[in-house]
Amino acid sequence: MKYLVFVLIGLVSLTGCSNDPFVKSTEETHLLLATTSSMSGVLPELVEAFEEENPYININVDYGPSGELAQQIQQGAPVDLFISGNQEWMDMLADQSMIVQDSRTNFATNQLVLAGTAGDDSDVSSFEELKQSSFDKVILGQPETSPVGSYAKQALQAADAWDGLSHSFFYAKDVSQVVTFIESGKVDAGFVYYSDIIESDRLEMLFPVDSKLHDPIEFPVAVTTYSTNHADSEKFIDFLQSEAAKEILDEHGFNRKN
C-alpha cells in the first residue's frame, strides 16, 4: 500500500515540472521526500519553514525505517529526496547509482540514549548497571532495517552486554515504535535518540550512550536519480544546511554531543 502511495504522489509530482530535472521550476511543483522515522518530530517544522521561503515548492513526506525506504527506492519508488538515519542505506543506493552523488550531504547528528518511562524512577545509569538490573523487557529497533537498532546493537556488543541481555530484547520496526512501547510502560527501557527525549514528556533518559561505542550518528540526505526536479530538490538540501534549519534541529534535540 505504501508503495502505491509513492507511485500516486510521484505521478502528481510530474505535473508542473520541467522536462529537464536540473532546470528550476517556474510553476508549482511537488517533491516526495522519504525519510527515517526519527525525523518525524522535526521535519514538519523544517518543511514549513522551507515552503514559506519557497511557496512554489510543495514537499510530501513519507516516514519509515531507513532500510525499508531504501529498498523501496531500489525497487523503483519515484522518490525525489531520501533522508537516511545512517550511512549504510545511503551507501547501498550510491553503490547502485540511485542517488545523485554530488547532492549527498550530512546535515544533522544525534545521540543514542537508553530511556525509560517517565516517573518509573529507574536507577540504571550505565551498561554495567543494565547488565545487573532486573529489567526483563528492553526494546530496540530491528538492527537489520532500523538505524537506531543498529547503533544500539553496536553499543551493546562493544560494552560486552549483547549476549548477557539478549534474552530480554524486544524488537520494533523503527524508533517511533520503540518510543510508543516505552511511553506506554509495556517495556522496562529502550534505546532511542536524544531528540526523542526532547519530543516526549513520557520518556526519561536513563543514561547517554558513549558515542565511541557505535558508528557516528549522522543523517545524510540526497537527491535520487528518479527525481523529476533535481534543482528544487537540491534547493531543499541547501536549506537543511542553513542557520535557520540548524536552529530548528537544535531545538528538537539534534546535533547534541556527549
Side-chain angles (χ1 to χ4, degrees):
M1 180 61 71
K2 180 182 289 185
Y3 179 74
L4 291 177
V5 172
F6 270 138
V7 173
L8 290 174
I9 295 176
L11 290 174
V12 171
S13 70
L14 294 175
T15 62
C17 296
S18 165
N19 289 330
D20 185 343
F22 294 96
V23 175
K24 179 179 176 180
S25 301
T26 57
E27 300 177 8
E28 182 175 309
T29 60
H30 294 264
L31 302 177
L32 178 56
L33 167 62
T35 179
T36 171
S37 301
S38 53
M39 282 278 158
S40 60
V42 67
L43 201 56
E45 190 171 340
L46 289 169
V47 169
E48 181 180 5
F50 173 77
E51 290 180 342
E52 285 180 0
E53 293 182 6
N54 303 275
Y56 69 93
I57 306 175
N58 295 291
I59 299 180
N60 300 290
V61 183
D62 190 87
Y63 299 95
S66 295
E68 289 186 9
L69 295 176
Q71 289 164 10
Q72 289 173 1
I73 294 171
Q74 183 185 38
Q75 294 163 10
V79 173
D80 294 287
L81 290 151
F82 175 51
I83 296 176
S84 177
N86 63 8
Q87 301 293 349
E88 176 185 353
W89 295 109
M90 194 66 82
D91 287 343
M92 183 198 77
L93 295 179
D95 290 343
Q96 298 178 19
S97 301
M98 292 184 175
I99 61 168
V100 179
Q101 190 60 48
D102 290 346
S103 71
R104 182 173 178 172
T105 304
N106 298 330
F107 71 95
T109 61
N110 214 319
Q111 182 177 10
L112 186 69
V113 304
L114 183 70
T117 309
D120 275 4
D121 298 325
S122 299
D123 58 0
V124 172
S125 59
S126 67
F127 276 116
E128 194 59 37
E129 291 182 4
L130 179 61
K131 288 189 286 185
Q132 303 300 322
S133 74
S134 60
F135 288 174
D136 60 7
K137 292 181 179 179
V138 177
I139 193 165
L140 54 152
Q142 186 63 248
E144 289 74 20
T145 55
S146 170
V148 73
S150 177
Y151 294 129
K153 182 176 181 178
Q154 290 175 11
L156 285 158
Q157 289 178 327
D160 196 26
W162 178 262
D163 292 337
L165 292 170
S166 59
H167 66 280
S168 66
F169 293 156
F170 286 76
Y171 298 97
K173 71 173 186 176
D174 57 22
V175 69
S176 296
Q177 196 173 76
V178 174
V179 168
T180 298
F181 270 83
I182 301 172
E183 288 179 332
S184 67
K186 294 180 179 179
V187 296
D188 298 301
F191 289 92
V192 298
Y193 295 118
Y194 179 74
S195 57
D196 299 308
I197 301 292
I198 296 297
E199 297 290 347
S200 173
D201 58 6
R202 290 181 288 170
L203 293 183
E204 179 178 312
M205 182 168 68
L206 300 181
F207 65 86
V209 175
D210 188 338
S211 61
K212 297 184 180 68
L213 298 177
H214 56 76
D215 291 339
I217 299 177
E218 300 171 325
F219 294 84
V221 59
V223 181
T224 74
T225 53
Y226 294 116
S227 176
T228 59
N229 192 326
H230 291 191
D232 286 344
S233 295
E234 293 198 20
K235 193 174 185 69
F236 182 66
I237 292 178
D238 290 341
F239 170 77
L240 290 177
Q241 301 171 79
S242 69
E243 282 302 314
K246 183 180 182 300
E247 288 182 11
I248 294 171
L249 287 161
D250 289 348
E251 288 172 0
H252 285 263
F254 288 81
N255 301 326
R256 182 175 185 265
K257 304 293 184 182
N258 64 335

